Amino acid sequence: MRLHPDLPEHLLGRLILGCAVIDVDRDDLAENESPAGAARWPVAVASPAHALQALDAAAAAQPDWARTSLADRASVVRGYRAFLDAEAESLARLIVLESGKTITDARLEVAIAGAVVDELLACAPAAVGAHEDGDQSVRVTTRRAPVGPALLITPWNFPLTMASRKVVSALLAGCTFILKPSERTPLTAMYLVDALLKAGLPDGVGSVVPSHRSAEILAGLTGDPRLRKISFTGSTAVGRKILQASTTHFQRVGLELGGNAPAVICPGADLAAAVSTIWNAKLYNNGQACTAPNRVLVPESAAADAFELFRAAATATTVADPWAESARLGPVISEAAADRLRHLVQAPHGGTVVTGGIEPGTPGASVAATVVLAPDPGSGVCVEELFGPVLPVVAYPDDDLSAALALANSTEYGLASYVFGDTAQTDLVAAGLDAGMVAVNRGSVSHPKAAFGGVKHSGFGRENGVEGLREFLEIKTILGPVPAQEPAQ
């Protein structure tokens, strides 16, 4: 097999168990194929036994890592942060190979991962510190202790940022970890933890167990009381199974699940600016983000103009080779994902479909940029999480933001939302949206300082910053006598 030059050959077909890079038996090898072109490579498939070896190592290393000072834990993380800068282009090219996103978006992901790590390092002292209170009769001390060995499950769409956020949060909080990346993007995760090893991560503290045997691995790990924390990003269906599995030993769980983000354009908003912002947000990561605008709500009086602006945006967008510097939109992750999107667009919905183009010779599973104008709000294209470059646009009655809110909230999901308008309008709509995150006159709900997470079927718990770090810490309250006052001299 001729290997692609951007692959980290020293990690192919290997696992990291307890900070040791190991080869696996031939029976535990599979082959991955790039969504971005003709490239294949061997990958290790972790077994349930491998996962339990990782937990053995994590449980054994947990006491010493918890006792390690925050300064020393941060020193390891800073070594990883330096790696992100030093190997930025190599990482970006690996991300394109594994996920199919454009090289521009891959470079942006590396930069975002660095910014996330910087913020976690900056706020760690506040997150892990103790607090004292009380009155004349008692001193109340609140301490935060590491929750313990953590299972970190990450998706393929942001293989570096998601893994960096979870792993660095666990490490700074004093938790050992087992990283279970998507079987589609294992090498990015391996590269991350390999960099931590080179930065001085102690034996046992970290493992990587990529595998398509996820259900077996989850059953084995959640059935062991030594596992104390699960942090999962992925589908709502899988999140539900993880939550059910965690009840045997009451592992602490954080779930960042699916979304069906509405983008509400208020009456009188700058329509051209709103449409441009929403469209750019939709194309980011080839439309494959749980926070991407999933449906647009426009006032009836502006609907005709909005439809024309979205029509123009779609027809001007072309799917291209993700390696091209000029590419705005690349392939989706798989042919199955492309087929699902095509089915939703072709199913009865009552709307008008407008599509862009696909450059001849574009590799992978291409789905043309698509807008669906005036579909039935109850149709599948409006109800389901799309996860691709497809965007329905629906009108609501003029000057009735309550109707817009009702449409926006008519979903089981509650991750991200967007609103465009003046301050009075956006304050009203933002307060009424059932979502964990709201972007006002901007195309992203993500920022290193912003707590990231959702409500309803989009999960619970938060990532990023102080809130994200405290997901890996338990509170211990100590009540004791008030120290005697020394007599005045």
Side-chain angles (χ1 to χ4, degrees):
M1 180 189 299
R2 184 180 177 185
L3 296 175
H4 195 282
D6 292 314
L7 290 166
E9 292 191 33
H10 67 293
L11 298 175
L12 295 180
R14 292 178 169 178
L15 301 174
I16 297 177
L17 297 182
C19 296
V21 181
I22 68 163
D23 293 307
V24 298
D25 295 335
R26 184 177 294 274
D27 291 343
D28 292 322
L29 286 174
E31 187 176 77
N32 274 14
E33 182 176 4
S34 175
R40 295 174 180 270
W41 55 88
V43 294
V45 177
S47 67
H50 289 133
L52 288 177
Q53 282 181 253
L55 183 56
D56 289 342
Q62 179 59 48
D64 283 346
W65 185 245
R67 285 191 294 266
T68 300
S69 70
L70 176 59
D72 287 343
R73 298 197 298 257
S75 178
V76 174
V77 171
R78 287 192 183 92
Y80 170 63
R81 178 64 183 89
F83 160 80
L84 290 176
D85 283 342
E87 298 297 329
E89 186 64 13
S90 296
L91 279 164
R93 296 185 70 82
L94 178 58
I95 290 169
V96 177
L97 266 181
E98 289 204 293
S99 72
K101 68 177 66 182
T102 66
I103 185 64
T104 299
D105 284 350
R107 288 172 180 146
L108 180 57
E109 179 173 356
V110 178
I112 290 171
V116 166
V117 173
D118 286 341
E119 179 61 23
L120 289 168
L121 282 165
C123 68
V128 305
H131 173 71
E132 288 197 0
D133 202 348
D135 55 27
Q136 293 180 342
S137 64
V138 65
R139 179 174 66 173
V140 179
T141 303
T142 302
R143 293 181 179 170
R144 291 182 172 86
V147 66
L151 172 61
L152 314 176
I153 307 175
T154 55
W156 51 262
N157 58 331
F158 293 99
L160 182 68
T161 301
M162 297 289 189
S164 295
R165 191 158 63 189
K166 293 180 191 293
V167 167
V168 169
S169 295
L171 290 177
L172 291 175
C175 297
T176 57
F177 70 88
I178 303 164
L179 176 57
K180 164 60 180 75
S182 166
E183 65 272 18
R184 296 183 183 277
T185 53
L187 291 179
T188 303
M190 290 283 289
Y191 210 1
L192 182 165
V193 177
D194 186 52
L196 283 165
L197 304 186
K198 293 172 181 174
L201 192 69
D203 289 348
V205 173
S207 297
V208 189
V209 289
S211 183
H212 58 253
R213 301 174 65 181
S214 301
E216 297 170 75
I217 285 175
L218 180 67
L221 292 178
T222 57
D224 193 311
R226 295 175 299 171
L227 184 73
R228 297 312 312 145
K229 164 74 178 174
I230 306 169
S231 177
F232 170 76
T233 299
S235 73
T236 296
V238 174
R240 185 175 289 111
K241 292 177 181 178
I242 288 172
L243 188 59
Q244 291 167 346
S246 72
T247 60
T248 301
H249 294 294
F250 293 96
Q251 281 109 355
R252 188 167 174 176
V253 178
L255 302 174
E256 192 267 283
L257 308 176
N260 184 6
V264 180
I265 300 178
C266 298
D270 184 333
L271 198 59
V275 169
S276 176
T277 300
I278 293 167
W279 189 245
N280 287 332
K282 185 63 183 179
L283 295 185
Y284 176 56
N285 210 50
N286 302 339
Q288 299 168 126
C290 53
T291 57
N294 211 62
R295 53 211 162 98
V296 183
L297 310 178
V298 298
E300 286 177 346
S301 62
D305 290 339
F307 289 172
E308 284 307 309
L309 287 167
F310 278 113
R311 183 189 300 272
T315 55
T317 303
T318 301
V319 183
D321 186 337
W323 294 104
E325 297 287 342
S326 59
R328 291 185 67 203
L329 181 63
V332 294
I333 189 67
S334 67
E335 196 59 50
D339 287 343
R340 174 181 172 275
L341 286 165
R342 295 182 192 117
H343 173 75
L344 286 168
V345 171
Q346 294 164 4
H349 48 60
T352 300
V353 176
V354 180
T355 62
I358 299 174
E359 237 178 51
T362 296
S366 296
V367 175
T370 302
V371 292
V372 183
L373 306 175
D376 176 353
S379 61
V381 76
C382 290
V383 172
E384 294 195 31
E385 182 179 27
L386 296 170
F387 230 68
V390 176
L391 187 63
V393 187
V394 176
Y396 65 87
D398 273 6
D399 298 320
D400 189 358
L401 286 176
S402 63
L405 277 170
L407 276 172
N409 292 332
S410 62
T411 172
E412 64 186 11
Y413 297 110
L415 185 60
S417 292
Y418 302 81
V419 58
F420 298 84
D422 64 35
T423 301
Q425 292 170 324
T426 58
D427 283 352
L428 175 68
V429 174
L433 287 166
D434 292 338
M437 301 173 287
V438 181
V440 176
N441 293 326
R442 54 178 281 139
S444 175
V445 293
S446 298
H447 190 279
K449 291 182 179 293
F452 190 100
V455 297
K456 300 194 295 186
H457 287 208
S458 292
F460 49 78
R462 293 295 182 267
E463 298 189 344
N464 277 351
V466 171
E467 290 85 357
L469 283 162
R470 287 182 175 170
E471 292 284 327
F472 291 87
L473 295 164
E474 296 282 21
I475 292 176
K476 179 181 288 187
T477 305
I478 302 171
L479 287 77
V482 177
Q485 295 285 336
E486 293 190 10
Q489 297 294 322

